[in-house]
Amino acid sequence: MDPHLLRTFVSVARCGSFSDAAHELGLTPAAVSEHIASLEADLRTSLLTRRPVMLTSAGARLLEHAGPLLLRLDAARADVERLSGAGAARLVVGASPLAMTPRIAAALDRVRQAHPAIRVSLRILGRREIPAAVASGALDLGLVDGPTTPADALPLPEVGPLTAVTVAEAPLVVALPTGHPLARRLGLRLADLAEAHWLDAPDAAMPLARLRAMSRSSGFRASLTYEGTDVRGLVALTATGHGLALLPHPATKGAPGIVTAPLIAPRLVHRTELLHGPAVDGPARTLAAVVTGDRHRYG
């Protein structure tokens, strides 16, 4: 299977339209149609219906394989380019908003001191974007965060072989406006907050879908959806009464207009993990050693 044809197929499946996929790929609709026809001829089966554009059962099965295959191809290219020296002078790190802390900033400074000629790029991204970007080689390292039990790792999508190493843990607190009826509580249980007004900020706070899954509740409905990565904006919305947010305690320090109450049940922590692919070399290896403290693995 030609990877160019697979990329076209994935784009059509995602867009649900030949013309939209053509625009995304910089091709003509006729070229997209030709790619799909060639792939179907190669596999000797129909992958998509045309009107409307929908996956057949064979197309749905191919789509399950196509994403990881293309990610592995991208990762192989990035890995070889780094090994050949094409990417030796750069370090590209992706971090979710709550994973980017002063400690990580200090670690980046140490890497720049150890590698003075390096170009460092830091991208603040949504949690869902980072694993695939690391797997494809678009990021050298990723930093993701989220709520989990002390014994469990963060859930990651199936995007290829990734190594996840814990770099930090912090207690979780419920952020409330100062006048909220629960503001004087010394601790709060998640189950008691299922019917409260919440902010749905999947990239800047704890995703409500994750809270529903952890509490096995259909509650935690959003009074306002916040699409962005600015934690300060999220805290400002909480302070003015738009909804509660579950955040790591360090992210709330000094924030005006809010109070916090520790989450006492269930027992959850806010964890930050470092993600990397099979090979970690050069400046990426230096940063991994600094943020994890594991000189034996990354020394």
Side-chain angles (χ1 to χ4, degrees), residues 14-199:
R14 182 176 60 252
C15 295
S17 163
F18 279 63
S19 58
D20 289 350
H23 180 74
E24 180 178 88
L25 297 168
L27 301 172
T28 65
V32 169
S33 182
E34 183 179 335
H35 283 192
I36 299 301
S38 297
L39 188 58
E40 290 178 326
D42 182 22
L43 294 173
R44 300 179 184 178
T45 187
S46 175
L47 301 172
L48 294 159
T49 61
R50 271 32 178 198
R51 294 184 180 179
V53 176
M54 295 180 64
L55 291 167
T56 64
S57 58
R61 183 60 58 86
L62 177 62
L63 188 61
E64 293 176 6
H65 292 284
L69 284 171
L70 294 173
L71 280 172
R72 293 303 300 146
L73 286 171
D74 291 340
R77 176 182 290 277
D79 203 19
V80 170
E81 288 177 348
R82 278 194 294 266
L83 189 63
S84 68
R90 67 148 209 181
L91 174 65
V92 183
V93 180
S96 52
L98 293 175
M100 186 56 214
T101 63
R103 179 184 168 212
I104 300 302
L108 286 169
D109 185 55
R110 289 180 62 180
V111 172
R112 292 177 63 244
Q113 292 178 26
H115 303 271
I118 193 176
R119 293 195 325 272
V120 179
S121 295
L122 175 65
R123 301 174 184 169
I124 304 301
L125 302 168
R127 295 182 180 96
R128 293 162 291 186
E129 301 174 72
I130 294 174
V134 174
S136 71
L139 297 176
D140 298 310
L141 296 171
L143 290 156
V144 294
D145 73 284
T148 186
T149 65
D152 293 328
L154 294 177
L156 295 175
E158 294 291 336
V159 293
L162 291 178
T163 297
V165 183
T166 297
V167 298
E169 286 188 356
L172 283 163
V173 296
V174 182
L176 314 99
T178 51
H180 195 278
L182 300 176
R184 295 182 179 274
R185 293 282 188 92
L186 298 179
L188 293 170
R189 299 175 182 272
L190 202 56
D192 296 335
L193 301 171
E195 302 307 317
H197 294 295
W198 285 86
L199 291 172

